[in-house]
Amino acid sequence: MKLKKIFSITEYEDERVKALEYKSYSEAGFLLVVLAFIDLVVRGIFMDRPLSEWIVSLIFVVTYIIYVFIRQSFMKITKDHLLEKEEKRKNNIEEFSFLGTVFLYVLWKKIIQGTSLIPSGMYDWIISLVVFVVICAFMYSLSVIISKKIQKKD
């Protein structure tokens, strides 16, 4: 109670005000995670700094992801609880196609090209991006076709 007095935090009885307050807290938390992720990408990948310099950002991002997942699970704010049957089907198609895309991209980079997963130069970045987009379009189209055929059987 003393902390609320020190920081001049007041409690409101109105639910709308509480909802706005929680929304502002969640936006602030999301902004911090985005900044930590940017720090993680810039220092960890682009500048190739040692792990000791960006481990705190990694821990912060992972902790936030775990917290949000647990919180949504307990509050039953998951896609399974909120989406209708058709929306669930479309969402499952998108998730399957994305996972397939990532798998095929990793397969292409590691086995076919024999290079690292992170592109090294500008030309390699462009080629990797184009290949990723092509694989994504192919996998999404394939997922939609398979889903429609399964739906016709039912």
Side-chain angles (χ1 to χ4, degrees):
M1 198 64 168
K2 289 183 181 182
L3 283 176
K4 288 184 178 182
K5 200 174 224 181
I6 291 172
F7 292 113
S8 300
I9 298 175
T10 57
E11 290 187 16
Y12 300 100
E13 297 297 322
D14 190 4
E15 290 294 322
R16 293 174 295 166
V17 176
K18 284 183 181 180
L20 288 173
E21 187 177 31
Y22 289 142
K23 182 180 178 187
S24 68
Y25 292 149
S26 68
E27 288 172 355
F30 184 73
L31 178 65
L32 290 175
V33 167
V34 167
L35 290 175
F37 184 74
I38 290 171
D39 177 54
L40 183 75
V41 169
V42 169
R43 284 202 282 178
I45 295 174
F46 291 124
M47 296 176 71
D48 201 24
R49 300 282 190 199
L51 180 65
S52 61
E53 287 190 19
W54 50 270
I55 189 71
V56 174
S57 296
L58 179 65
I59 291 170
F60 186 71
V61 169
V62 169
T63 304
Y64 184 81
I65 290 170
I66 291 170
Y67 171 75
V68 168
F69 177 75
I70 291 171
R71 182 83 173 161
Q72 287 180 347
S73 296
F74 283 126
M75 293 179 70
K76 297 193 186 315
I77 308 177
T78 58
K79 290 179 271 187
D80 293 335
H81 293 97
L82 298 176
L83 298 179
E84 298 295 324
K85 185 177 180 180
E86 183 63 28
E87 291 173 329
K88 281 183 191 179
R89 186 183 69 78
K90 186 175 181 183
N91 192 12
N92 289 341
I93 290 172
E94 291 172 358
E95 287 177 356
F96 171 74
S97 64
F98 182 73
L99 290 175
T101 300
V102 171
F103 175 74
L104 289 177
Y105 176 77
V106 169
L107 187 74
W108 173 72
K109 284 294 277 185
K110 287 304 236 182
I111 294 177
I112 296 173
Q113 275 195 331
T115 60
S116 68
L117 290 177
I118 301 172
S120 57
M122 185 59 122
Y123 179 74
D124 199 22
W125 274 100
I126 292 171
I127 293 296
S128 296
L129 183 64
V130 168
V131 168
F132 190 80
V133 168
V134 168
I135 292 172
C136 188
F138 172 74
M139 288 301 295
Y140 185 76
S141 301
L142 186 65
S143 300
V144 169
I145 291 169
I146 291 171
S147 175
K148 297 233 184 221
K149 286 191 179 195
I150 290 173
Q151 192 176 19
K152 283 182 183 177
K153 287 182 181 179
D154 294 337

